[in-house]
Every structure is written in C-alpha cells, then in structure tokens.
Amino acid sequence: WVSSCQPMNPASAASPLDDPDPVSVTTVIIDASDVRVGVELYDATIGTPPRSIVAVKNIAQDGAAAQQGVREGMVLLKYTDSKKVVARIRNGPYPIVLQFYNLGDSSLNPLDALRQAQEKSSDLPQRDVTGNRLGGLGSKVVREGKPCDVPSRRGDL
C-alpha cells in the first residue's frame, strides 16, 4: 500500500496564550495574604483543540486587580483551573504574580474578545473512532495489496 500525508490543520497552530504580546498583559503582584485581589474567576474553554482557561467574571473596584487595569473577560495566564488559583491566593507562598491577558486587540474589549474565542471553539473538529482529531496528518490508501500465493522457497512461511 502507498500512503500520502495531508497537511496539518492551520487551526492547531500555537495559541497567543502560549506566547502573549507583553503589551496585552496586565500583571498583579500579591505580596501578602492581606492583599485583596478583587476578581471573581471562572473556568472556560476556548480554541481548537479545546483549551481550558481561567477568565475574569467580575472586578471589585477596590481590589488590586482593578487598580492595575484588569477588566472583565481577561484571561489568567499559566492557570487552567480557577479553584487552584483561589487556593494559591489563600495559602501562598507569597509573592504571587498573576498575569491577565486580553484576547482582543485595542478595538475589542476583553469580554467581547473572550466571547468570540468561546464561540469559535464551539465549532470543534470531529474525532475519529480512536479519539484523534480529524484534519491533522493522516494516511490514505491509494492501492490495496493483493494476497501472495507464491510459496516460500525455504518452506518457512
């Protein structure tokens, strides 16, 4: 049989969350347990393939995050579970550096950018019977082989 490779799906390229633009990142440093961050976080899924993220649901105006410019819809970098973030903030060790990323550009507010990313991820790729994403590298049988009825010369087959 002969196989041919199909090109990779361009949607599986590296995410901006893996290498964010520093201009779009807002950093909040918590240096003690008495510092109030002032964010309500939630878990979400974006991208293709699906990726778990932690996003900002609400901001308290008197918290450290609001003072640094964090807005609703921003994504918390380096975390995939909001419960782990909350536990880390409560238990330390300190200092804790939280980096919030705006998925959109300057013309799109963070909440709208997050909603767009979530809508795009709802069009998830189909999976084959083994659980692999379709559309990546694959093989295609061009010609089936025929059984060979010629006996072995040595008689070992």
Side-chain angles (χ1 to χ4, degrees):
W1 61 276
V2 178
S3 70
S4 65
C5 288
Q6 299 168 354
M8 261 184 83
N9 185 353
S12 65
S15 164
L17 295 177
D18 297 326
D19 187 25
D21 178 9
V23 174
S24 299
V25 175
T26 302
T27 302
V28 177
I29 299 174
I30 305 166
D31 51 9
S33 61
D34 60 342
V35 175
R36 184 165 185 261
V37 181
V39 291
E40 182 181 354
L41 303 172
Y42 70 102
D43 299 323
T45 303
I46 62 169
T48 305
R51 177 181 192 147
S52 297
I53 60 161
V54 176
V56 177
K57 186 174 187 177
N58 289 312
I59 300 282
Q61 294 306 315
D62 61 341
Q67 293 170 1
Q68 295 299 320
V70 174
R71 296 171 53 200
E72 291 178 8
M74 292 182 96
V75 174
L76 183 57
L77 297 175
K78 301 179 183 171
Y79 288 93
T80 58
D81 184 353
S82 60
K83 291 177 182 156
K84 290 182 180 180
V85 178
V86 172
R88 173 76 199 281
I89 292 170
R90 284 186 183 148
N91 302 325
Y94 300 97
I96 301 170
V97 177
L98 300 176
Q99 294 182 307
F100 296 90
Y101 179 67
N102 181 2
L103 290 173
D105 56 19
S106 59
S107 66
L108 194 62
N109 74 46
L111 191 55
D112 290 338
L114 177 61
R115 286 183 184 143
Q116 279 185 357
Q118 288 175 311
E119 287 171 6
K120 287 179 185 175
S121 69
S122 65
D123 302 328
L124 299 177
Q126 296 179 356
R127 296 190 176 266
D128 66 13
V129 294
T130 62
N132 294 321
R133 276 190 315 110
L134 297 175
L137 290 177
S139 62
K140 178 178 165 185
V141 176
V142 178
R143 182 182 56 171
E144 288 285 336
K146 295 180 181 178
C148 183
D149 294 331
V150 178
S152 169
R153 289 185 189 179
R154 292 181 269 160
D156 57 350
L157 294 176

